[in-house]
Amino acid sequence: MDLYAPDRSPGMKLLLSLLVAAVLTIPLFTVYLLVYDRQSQSETARSSIAEGWGGPQTIAGPLLVIPYAQQMTETVQENGKPVTRSSVQRRQLFIAPDRLKIDTRIKPERRARSIYEAVVYDADISGSASFRLPADTARIVDVASLEFDKAELRFGVADPRGLKPANRIVIDGQPLTAQPGNGLAATGGSGFFTNLDASALRERTVTAQFTFGLRGHSVVALAPRAGATRWTVTSPWQHPSFTGGFLPESRSVNATGFSATYRISNLALGTTLVTTSDSPVESREAQPSYPARTSAAPAAQAQVGLVQPVDLYSQVNRSVKYGFLFIGFTFMAFLLFDVVAGVRVSAVEYLLVGAGLVLFFVLLLAFAEVIGFTPAYLVAAGGVIALLTAYSAAILGSRRRAGFIAGLLVALYGVLYILLSLEAYSLLIGSLLLFAALAAVMYLTRNLDWGGRVAPPPAA
């Protein structure tokens, strides 16, 4: 089908060029799916790199756990008569620290396999916790039934595979040995513990100091459960992400790394210091209804993520969304040469030019995985501009006209790079660009009769 014909009006040529552009949305959508597929493969590869090192880690505790025996009575019907039975049940009392201080130092490391890269870390965790027997303990359990000599101090770790051999637990100056298992509900029941005699808790505060090493990747989080929690996180990583239900009270991010300090009280958590349940949800007092949280992160956690400085897949994905503008602006230039300057442009030539524009995004994705986004952008844009400029010189019959197409493409790729870099202003810049393009088309076609016939150019 030829867009130029003696009996076709400029309006018909416009409709046919729009039809070709609509056809090109199919390969453009295919490129979008290709980016999504490569991103999924990248995430799988990164998980494989970090496998065996330790997953995204969440730490919780410590909590002091004291067993006790509770006399239970129940009345049942036997032979039509009520019978009362008594039984003794073994239960546990969970006491959260009155004050908790944790210092976490993260040492990140990049690990690569083929073209994929993951960020893993070693975390050195140290802290102190002070425990006291709350005054309202008697409302929950008979204090005389508490077996203080069989108490446990429990720590929660989301992925215990990441625990390092070096650890130290000291209770009132006495070193104790950590044992695997008996974690906390906040970390899915995984973690470690130590046995202790907490009889001193009857009369005074018991203090615990602890240090342990932890390996993981991508994220380190804290599930606080104390009267007052102070969590300090430091790392030489320059691109942290602070998410979760709590944000740091103070933070500093610079070229040497970052530091952040969290301060969280049990009033913000909605939990009591003493409870018969390990579940933070079950230990909460009755609360009024609050609006649903929109964050995907757990509401009762503070999270620090070690994000990659440049997520090339998200940038390529965003650039593909502007592919319609590339096709539209370039076709508009060829259409103006056709209807205003009288240059013959066929449907096949429109289709080949559009294929070159779509190929840019495939080249960008392929090169970005190997050499990074910015160098890949320059290589892909340079190759496509050179190709379409040379082809335009042939179909437009003029190097000057081809130079105009080259200038248009350089401007488009330059503006696109700016849009990708300035995400906050992308909508503003894009709308101004569309306004300027519409104004230019209106001005150049102000005297054009879109419904009239056009005569073919004279024979050479």
Side-chain angles (χ1 to χ4, degrees), residues 113-386:
R113 180 184 299 169
S114 183
I115 62 176
Y116 303 107
E117 184 179 79
V119 179
V120 299
Y121 62 80
D122 274 311
D124 294 326
I125 301 170
S126 60
S128 63
S130 59
F131 296 88
R132 62 180 177 84
L133 199 62
D136 59 346
T137 304
R139 294 193 309 155
I140 301 175
V141 63
D142 183 8
V143 177
S145 66
L146 294 176
E147 301 175 4
F148 289 95
D149 58 333
K150 298 179 181 179
E152 295 179 354
L153 189 66
R154 296 183 183 179
F155 297 80
V157 175
D159 189 351
R161 295 178 305 163
L163 284 170
K164 299 166 67 174
N167 61 76
R168 182 170 177 265
I169 303 176
V170 178
I171 307 294
D172 286 340
Q174 179 183 359
L176 299 177
T177 302
Q179 301 182 37
N182 283 3
L184 298 175
T187 56
S190 59
F192 60 97
F193 76 103
T194 185
N195 295 310
L196 75 153
D197 185 350
S199 299
L201 198 65
R202 299 175 183 267
E203 302 175 353
R204 60 177 175 84
T205 299
V206 174
T207 303
Q209 286 85 29
F210 55 90
T211 60
F212 60 94
L214 191 61
R215 291 174 175 174
H217 74 84
S218 303
V219 173
V220 58
L222 173 69
R225 192 171 169 187
T229 301
R230 183 180 184 272
W231 184 35
T232 302
V233 188
T234 58
S235 173
W237 190 256
Q238 303 173 6
H239 308 280
S241 173
F242 303 103
T243 57
F246 301 96
L247 294 179
E249 183 181 70
S250 62
R251 63 181 181 179
S252 174
V253 182
N254 50 46
T256 60
F258 75 90
S259 63
T261 300
Y262 294 81
R263 295 181 185 273
I264 306 169
S265 71
N266 68 319
L267 295 178
L269 296 170
T271 60
T272 58
L273 296 183
V274 58
T275 177
T276 57
S277 172
D278 184 18
S279 173
V281 175
E282 295 178 10
S283 66
R284 290 194 178 103
E285 295 288 350
Q287 300 288 328
S289 298
Y290 292 98
R293 296 178 183 264
T294 57
S295 172
Q301 290 187 10
Q303 294 188 345
V304 178
L306 307 181
V307 300
Q308 296 282 14
V310 177
D311 187 355
L312 64 91
Y313 293 103
S314 64
Q315 288 186 299
V316 174
N317 188 20
R318 288 182 59 213
S319 67
V320 173
K321 296 177 181 178
Y322 290 98
F324 300 102
L325 292 180
F326 274 72
I327 295 174
F329 277 105
T330 308
F331 278 21
M332 178 191 68
F334 279 97
L335 182 64
L336 290 178
F337 279 124
D338 190 348
V339 300
V340 176
V343 178
R344 178 175 179 177
V345 182
S346 69
V348 174
E349 291 165 344
Y350 273 96
L351 192 61
L352 291 177
V353 170
L357 295 173
V358 174
L359 182 61
F360 161 77
F361 301 103
V362 180
L363 293 173
L364 176 60
L365 175 62
F367 281 106
E369 291 184 331
V370 180
I371 62 177
F373 182 80
T374 299
Y377 192 93
L378 294 175
V379 171
V384 171
I385 290 174

